Amino acid sequence: MNQDATTLSAGQISPTDLEAELNSFQRPKLTDAVAIPDSVYEKLPPYLASACNIFQNRTERDVFLIATLGVISGCLPNVYGLYDNSKVGANLYLFISAPPAAGKGPMKWAKQLAAGIHRLLRLQTANELEAFKQDEREYQKAMKNKEEEPPEKPSPPVNKMLFIPANSSAAVVLKALNDNQGRGMMFESEADTLSATLNQDWGNYSDMLRKAFHHEAISQLRKTNDEFSEMEHPFLSVILSGTPAQVRKLIPNTENGLFSRFCFYSFEYELSWKSVFAKTSHGSYDDKVDEYALDLLMLYDNLQTRAQNPLLFGLTAAQEALFNQTFERWQLELVDEIGDNLIASIRRLGLITFRIAMILTMIRNKNDQLGKSEVICQDDDFMTALTLSEVLIGHAVKMYHALAKKPSVLSSQEIKAAKIREAIQMTQNGKKTREIAELLLGDKGKHKTISNWLNNNPSV
């Protein structure tokens, strides 16, 4: 599969030239948290470059790109690569962190890219359920008439979906994966939805998330009816956003196994006012994003037909050489700068980089993969993946330092005030008082308390 560096095909360059191109992106230190450089957008596959150009604001564009990579990672069935002698999919875990109303909004447009796939799966479920009900009526009629050879008892259809709600129980998450050939995506604009669930006995599936990142088997034995459930190779993508405080709720410290599995991208407020009435040449975001959603749906449909012939992704020999050389250097730099506390993160970032390259390659070849058994990464996509990962290192370091700080001890009044602010934010995001009460107070029955908070706050 890999090309020898001495017999490079058209468009491929030597390891030395690849390294020189990577080094053209310079910054003061590897540990700095910086924005995504323009060079990334200049070399994105046309589909992604065009979609990102919808957003003129730099932070919004970065948020959209990061979230979109996460969404696409969950929409590539039957594609795999070989990493450390294991078959791996493209699935990513992402967390975009910023203060409230700082500019995380473009995430919703990234989710909309995959909304057509989710609607298609839900429609298939509805149609199959209707057919099942008809078959069940015919079966009951045959049994009632005591026919000599009654039809076989129909089985209910599986529950197809792309987006798995994060506030589901552990058993429901495992069932959803089983119903969808091991595939699924969690997309939550409020990370508290997931962290609150993981703190419940019925929803503590943190171990499932850690295993699913590496496609390791997950299983569960339920007391009811002694029921055993298992998923041998889960392919789960997780895209979250939230405030810095919500990061800590989900991942209390850097020793938590989720920390090294997530890519982090964080930013602060921009103190300039954004004109909310500025017109764009392409009309509404909704209409424009729907155009790109159709392309992603077509790619998903094409890949779904490859169940018996999965598509193999790989790097060239030159890319593999530079990959190993780069990560060896980054690991030494981080150990020298911080110690060995981020070794797990940098090593898992290697897998993440490979997955990002896979995503970019599939998007670039979205109209040219039928009939192929394998696809090789182009140098532009490989360099983009490495550059993005270099940016993500800085943000991981920033999050590491934030989590390493001891949280300040707040008074009861300060805690209440913080919860009121979160309740207001959740209300503005469309959540109901009962749902907010469960997330903030751990009890739906305390929804009247939430209502009182909101009614007594003039900003709502």
Side-chain angles (χ1 to χ4, degrees):
M1 179 185 67
N2 295 322
Q3 297 170 323
D4 189 282
T6 60
T7 58
L8 300 174
S9 63
Q12 305 293 340
I13 58 181
S14 70
T16 302
D17 291 335
L18 278 173
E19 184 177 11
E21 187 170 351
L22 178 63
N23 290 336
S24 67
F25 169 48
Q26 294 288 348
R27 60 184 178 179
K29 288 167 60 177
L30 181 66
T31 54
D32 290 341
V34 299
I36 298 173
D38 290 338
S39 61
V40 165
Y41 293 96
E42 293 167 0
K43 293 186 176 183
L44 286 175
Y47 170 89
L48 273 178
S50 178
C52 289
N53 283 338
I54 296 175
F55 303 93
Q56 301 304 310
N57 178 276
R58 181 174 192 142
T59 298
E60 291 183 345
R61 186 178 64 169
D62 285 2
V63 169
F64 178 76
L65 175 59
I66 294 292
T68 295
L69 290 173
V71 167
I72 296 175
S73 81
C75 302
L76 301 176
N78 303 316
V79 179
Y80 73 99
L82 294 176
Y83 188 90
D84 197 20
N85 295 312
S86 296
K87 291 183 178 181
V88 299
N91 306 83
L92 299 175
Y93 287 12
L94 304 174
F95 198 121
I96 296 174
S97 170
K104 301 187 291 291
M107 283 189 66
K108 68 179 180 180
W109 307 117
K111 183 178 183 181
Q112 188 172 322
L113 287 172
I117 298 172
H118 184 73
R119 285 194 296 268
L120 174 66
L121 295 174
R122 299 309 298 152
L123 180 60
Q124 290 176 356
T125 297
N127 292 337
E128 290 170 6
L129 183 60
E130 188 60 34
F132 163 73
K133 290 179 179 178
Q134 178 61 32
D135 292 343
E136 192 173 39
R137 285 192 291 269
E138 293 178 1
Y139 173 79
Q140 294 296 339
K141 182 179 178 180
M143 295 298 293
K144 185 176 181 180
N145 294 335
K146 298 181 179 180
E147 295 181 6
E148 292 184 3
E149 294 185 10
E152 184 178 348
K153 185 176 181 179
S155 299
V158 297
N159 196 10
K160 296 180 181 179
M161 66 183 72
L162 177 64
F163 297 116
I164 301 174
N167 58 357
S168 305
S169 68
V172 168
V173 171
L174 185 52
K175 183 180 184 303
L177 289 172
N178 271 308
D179 284 352
N180 293 276
Q181 293 83 49
R183 309 197 66 87
M185 185 189 311
M186 289 185 180
F187 191 112
E188 294 292 342
S189 59
E190 292 293 338
D192 275 352
T193 302
L194 178 58
S195 54
T197 302
L198 295 182
N199 285 326
Q200 306 294 328
D201 289 340
W202 50 265
N204 187 6
Y205 52 84
S206 176
D207 63 322
M208 291 170 54
L209 292 177
R210 295 194 298 271
K211 292 176 180 177
F213 179 83
H214 295 286
H215 315 310
E216 295 175 5
I218 54 179
S219 58
Q220 184 182 59
L221 180 62
R222 302 178 66 184
K223 293 180 180 179
T224 306
N225 300 325
D226 210 26
E227 183 180 347
F228 179 75
S229 300
E230 184 178 30
M231 166 51 57
E232 188 173 356
H233 297 295
F235 291 83
L236 180 67
S237 296
V238 182
I239 304 96
L240 306 173
S241 73
T243 64
Q246 289 176 333
V247 176
R248 186 181 290 276
K249 287 182 180 179
L250 179 67
I251 306 173
N253 53 66
T254 57
E255 294 180 1
N256 184 292
L258 287 177
F259 178 77
S260 60
R261 289 167 170 82
F262 268 89
C263 301
F264 296 96
Y265 190 84
S266 60
F267 55 95
E268 307 301 327
Y269 285 115
E270 293 183 7
L271 296 181
S272 59
W273 177 263
K274 174 187 175 184
S275 174
V276 295
F277 303 108
K279 301 296 187 295
T280 61
S281 59
H282 48 68
S284 72
Y285 288 155
D286 298 85
D287 294 339
K288 193 63 179 177
V289 170
D290 281 344
E291 295 177 16
Y292 296 106
L294 286 175
D295 282 350
L296 187 58
L297 175 59
M298 291 178 61
L299 173 60
Y300 175 85
D301 280 342
N302 289 336
L303 292 175
Q304 281 284 72
T305 66
R306 302 190 64 113
Q308 304 304 318
N309 181 31
L311 189 62
L312 176 61
F313 162 81
L315 305 177
T316 67
Q319 292 164 2
E320 289 180 350
L322 181 57
F323 183 98
N324 290 328
Q325 176 185 333
T326 300
F327 273 92
E328 182 176 11
R329 184 177 78 248
W330 286 351
Q331 180 173 271
L332 290 174
E333 287 183 32
L334 281 180
V335 170
D336 183 59
E337 186 77 23
I338 297 175
D340 59 5
N341 296 317
L342 283 177
I343 286 182
S345 293
I346 192 67
R347 291 183 176 176
R348 288 194 169 116
L349 185 63
L351 173 56
I352 290 167
T353 304
F354 183 77
R355 287 172 166 171
I356 292 174
M358 189 187 307
I359 295 165
L360 296 173
T361 298
M362 289 309 304
I363 289 299
R364 188 177 296 279
N365 293 273
K366 63 185 177 65
N367 298 321
D368 188 33
Q369 44 83 25
L370 291 177
K372 293 184 177 179
S373 60
E374 64 181 78
V375 60
I376 301 297
C377 185
Q378 290 191 16
D379 285 328
D380 279 351
D381 296 329
F382 175 74
M383 297 309 303
T384 296
L386 272 183
T387 304
L388 280 170
S389 293
E390 190 168 12
V391 170
L392 293 173
I393 289 174
H395 288 266
V397 171
K398 178 181 178 181
M399 194 60 63
Y400 165 79
H401 288 308
L403 292 177
K405 293 179 181 178
K406 292 184 178 180
S408 57
V409 179
L410 301 178
S411 67
S412 59
Q413 289 182 334
E414 289 173 324
I415 292 174
K416 180 180 177 180
K419 288 185 176 181
I420 291 175
R421 289 194 295 271
E422 289 192 58
I424 293 171
Q425 182 68 35
M426 290 181 182
T427 299
Q428 293 171 346
N429 289 332
K431 293 190 183 298
K432 304 298 183 183
T433 55
R434 289 182 179 273
E435 186 177 3
I436 296 173
E438 183 177 18
L439 290 172
L440 293 182
L441 305 177
D443 185 355
K444 287 183 179 179
K446 295 182 179 179
H447 61 95
K448 290 184 179 180
T449 300
I450 300 297
S451 296
N452 290 334
W453 288 355
L454 299 175
N455 293 334
N456 294 328
N457 194 295
S459 65
V460 179

